Amino acid sequence: MEIQRNISLQPYNTFAIDAKADGFCTVSAVEELQNILAQEQRRREFPFMFILGEGSNILFTKDVGGLVVKMALRGTMIIRETATTLDVEIAAGENWDSAVQNAVAENWGGLENLSLIPGSVGAAPVQNIGAYGIELQNVLVCVQAMERSTGEIRIFSKEECSFGYRDSIFKREEGKEYIITSVVLRLRKNPTVHDLNTSYGALRQEIVRLFPSVKAEEYTIAHVRAAVCATRQAKLPNPAIIGNAGSFFKNPTVPLETYTRIKGTYPQAPSFPVNAEAVKIPAGWMIEECGWRGKHLNATSDAAVHDKQALVLVNHGKASGAEILELSQQIRASVEERFGVTLETEVNIR
Ligand code: EPU
């Protein structure tokens, strides 16, 4: 496994930011990863190692002074089976949506709502990816990860992953010592209509629109996947065409009083229930209300807010990471000023 020097990361991040890595290599086997962790020379030359999946949830704001390791472990294996379920182990370097597509083709239920989310399988647990009423934690059994200091594999049960909304142990200090090598998902064999989750309003409407002649009791995971793909394609920019990393901010959870106050001025303010004392307000709505949808950082900048989804920041060509960051800071300040709500970034900023 060869280490390349001074490599542009532009092809390796979906924001298409031209940051450089001091060193860059690709690992395709667990032993390769163990070797690179153990190499004395590597440790001296590159004390800092950065693990990269498909770069779909990161904003590089400067060059990476260290070794970027592109995760390319591959493979899918059924490791357990009951009359109704399958436990499938998928290697970290597999593409997430290929795994979903494969599951739907095999008629294994559980992943269809998470269709078309960009990124690798190994990155999925880090932020507990979620969409249209489902989060990864709903289907995850465990995560296998390698300890950086020893090269040993450790298994994290679902509970040990301590998942939250776009959060897990792997985002916190204790988890950063580990490199995810595979995940085990529990999928349903031959799912019925009762196994589907079509609770997300926009999703239900899309299934009806796409399949007007299919009765609701005949819906399958393939219908759900088709509707999720169509909804995402209509709203979210394709990173192969316009640089972006999906939702830039998290949807903030606010106390009920805050929401009531906001509703006083904006009776149409949308919300999602969280518990008796709190709701989530879609950050995209607040950003749009502040007038940001479709706006550029300035007349000459390629850093902009997507015109169909204000929660998504885009690079129309030559934006730097610093410009996207500057735009995000201006957005944050205006939401704070108008709504008194602080937005947290969902994308990792480096
Ligand atoms: N909205 C606006 N204007 C906008 C965007 C949204 O008014 O420009 C309001 C609308 O009221 C809309 C509501 O926000 O009904 C929700 O919008 P949408 O369904 O597009 O979802 P979201 O809350 O913006 C979240 C996730 C997405 C996920 C969708 C669908 C986060 C940070 N984002 O977005 O995840 O696909 O729900 O479940 O939770 C991602 O994490 O990168 C991502 C794309």
Side-chain angles (χ1 to χ4, degrees):
M1 164 202 33
E2 185 208 345
I3 294 183
Q4 296 169 281
R5 320 271 150 168
N6 199 27
I7 288 292
S8 168
L9 295 172
Q10 195 163 33
Y12 303 108
N13 73 97
T14 59
F15 253 127
I17 301 294
D18 187 17
K20 302 264 183 315
D22 276 0
F24 183 90
C25 70
T26 303
V27 289
S28 317
V30 167
E31 300 70 37
E32 261 180 7
L33 186 56
Q34 269 158 340
N35 283 341
I36 208 158
L37 287 170
Q39 271 170 19
E40 216 25 71
Q41 196 197 336
R42 191 279 304 164
R43 285 184 197 230
R44 269 198 307 275
E45 196 183 352
F46 299 108
F48 172 71
M49 249 176 71
F50 180 79
I51 308 296
L52 186 67
E54 294 187 16
S56 61
N57 200 44
I58 187 151
L59 178 67
F60 290 113
T61 58
K62 49 187 181 307
D63 292 343
V64 182
L67 178 65
V68 171
V69 176
K70 166 110 178 110
M71 173 58 69
L73 306 179
R74 299 265 190 268
T76 300
M77 220 172 21
I78 296 175
I79 57 168
R80 219 171 289 123
E81 193 168 354
T82 69
T84 51
T85 64
L86 285 170
D87 286 359
V88 185
E89 180 178 355
I90 312 175
E94 292 286 348
N95 171 263
W96 173 260
D97 190 55
S98 302
V100 177
Q101 194 180 12
N102 180 48
V104 172
E106 298 278 1
N107 202 24
W108 301 338
L111 303 185
E112 56 282 357
N113 293 49
L114 304 178
S115 289
L116 222 58
I117 295 181
S120 64
V121 166
V126 178
Q127 58 153 342
N128 183 23
I129 57 168
Y132 307 104
I134 293 283
E135 287 182 332
L136 183 75
Q137 63 171 333
N138 300 125
V139 288
L140 185 127
V141 177
C142 64
V143 168
Q144 294 196 17
M146 192 181 290
E147 192 173 9
R148 289 176 187 241
S149 56
T150 61
E152 274 168 28
I153 295 281
R154 168 174 163 190
I155 294 178
F156 287 80
S157 67
K158 180 174 23 200
E159 290 66 35
E160 286 169 330
C161 292
S162 92
F163 288 121
Y165 166 59
R166 295 295 192 275
D167 195 28
S168 77
I169 190 172
F170 304 106
K171 275 195 162 180
R172 299 175 217 138
E173 244 2 271
E174 336 125 64
K176 287 192 175 154
E177 169 61 12
Y178 294 90
I179 300 168
I180 295 172
T181 52
S182 71
V183 306
V184 178
L185 306 178
R186 181 157 300 165
L187 305 180
R188 184 159 286 278
K189 285 187 193 168
N190 303 315
T192 71
V193 71
H194 307 294
D195 298 314
L196 306 181
N197 182 330
T198 55
S199 56
Y200 203 87
L203 176 60
R204 224 174 16 242
Q205 287 160 21
E206 190 63 16
I207 303 181
V208 173
R209 194 183 72 81
L210 287 177
F211 307 103
S213 57
V214 179
K215 296 194 197 87
E217 59 272 23
E218 288 166 2
Y219 290 155
T220 65
I221 57 173
H223 293 122
V224 174
R225 173 168 168 83
V228 169
C229 289
T231 307
R232 292 188 74 97
Q233 279 161 344
K235 278 196 191 171
L236 300 170
N238 177 350
I241 300 164
I242 304 177
N244 77 92
S247 301
F248 196 89
F249 299 100
K250 294 185 194 175
N251 285 331
T253 298
V254 302
L256 223 46
E257 304 90 82
T258 306
Y259 181 59
T260 311
R261 169 177 57 73
I262 292 173
K263 253 189 121 62
T265 321
Y266 304 91
Q268 76 287 12
S271 69
F272 298 109
V274 172
N275 56 41
E277 285 108 52
V279 296
K280 242 184 227 174
I281 304 183
W285 175 78
M286 291 190 278
I287 297 168
E288 179 168 355
E289 279 296 324
C290 291
W292 283 106
R293 187 142 72 91
K295 279 241 175 96
H296 284 238
L297 175 63
N298 57 52
T300 55
S301 177
D302 280 337
V305 178
H306 187 48
D307 56 358
K308 298 198 187 76
Q309 226 295 8
L311 193 49
V312 179
L313 304 194
V314 294
N315 172 8
H316 281 294
K318 294 199 171 62
S320 67
E323 283 176 283
I324 305 267
L325 183 64
E326 168 64 24
L327 175 64
S328 77
Q329 285 162 346
Q330 290 188 16
I331 291 170
R332 216 162 163 256
S334 70
V335 167
E336 189 138 2
E337 190 181 292
R338 184 173 299 210
F339 295 100
V341 173
T342 307
L343 296 182
E344 266 179 55
T345 54
E346 200 258 354
V347 166
N348 299 314
I349 313 247
R350 266 215 71 86

